[in-house]
Amino acid sequence: GQQVMQIPQYQHVQEGEDFTTYCNSSTTLSNIQWYKQRPGGHPVFLIQLVKSGEVKKQKRLTFQFGEAKKNSSLHITATQTTDVGTYFCAGRSGGSYIPTFGRGTSLIVHP
Amino acid sequence: DTEVTQTPKHLVMGMTNKKSLKCEQHMGHRAMYWYKQKAKKPPELMFVYSYEKLSINESVPSRFSPECPNSSLLNLHLHALQPEDSALYLCASSQAPGVLDTEAFFGQGTRLTVV
């Protein structure tokens, strides 16, 4: 079945440093979504990427979808303590509307 | 209203108890989901309801019994659970199945402890 690998599992950064998490799929994805889960919270939708090579920005967050639609990344510029949480990618393949979640990357920002 | 509301927020139950988790959304979504999430793990899909009918059961033990009384409500009935079933149970909803470009809205979850 479809697998979505996400790395790294944890990332410690000093406030102001950049952060990147990567997702790779074993199959071509129809789209990929990104969610953020704060400690003690629930996943919250950030963005969806659909097109090959797509790049979307939300303030300090930049999301990319690979040309082959098998990989994606989330980059945060100049992290802040409010960025703390676990970032999950969730990819869909074929005609399925059920996403497969990556294992998540936990971001820890040190002030 | 873009909320998915789950009750209760916390639940402690014994292994012989019967309890139910409830989920409600008023966004007109026709796909509703139950996920189980253990600490430091991604959400793990349990059940999917599509137009109020169970469409996916990810080989979940029968001690978990889902129910979808109408398009806005989703329940998860619990009976004879084990301590290893302790987890955060998340409800989610999304637009009608078959619409690929759709996000999932998650509820705040029920943190379940089985003693």
Side-chain angles (χ1 to χ4, degrees), chain A residues 12-73:
Chain A
H12 290 256
V13 299
Q14 289 295 129
E15 190 172 16
E17 291 182 338
D18 293 355
F19 159 79
T20 305
T21 174
Y22 302 89
C23 276
N24 288 286
S25 170
S26 55
T27 59
T28 301
L29 300 171
S30 54
N31 62 37
I32 193 159
Q33 298 177 339
W34 286 91
Y35 292 83
K36 177 183 178 181
Q37 187 171 18
R38 294 181 185 274
H42 60 282
V44 174
F45 176 82
L46 293 176
I47 209 159
Q48 176 169 274
L49 304 172
V50 179
K51 299 177 184 175
S52 168
E54 189 170 14
V55 178
K56 287 188 176 180
K57 293 193 175 186
Q58 289 179 351
K59 297 183 180 178
R60 294 178 293 104
L61 278 61
T62 302
F63 303 84
Q64 294 190 8
F65 201 9
E67 293 291 341
K69 299 183 73 172
K70 284 189 171 184
N71 57 75
S72 181
S73 65

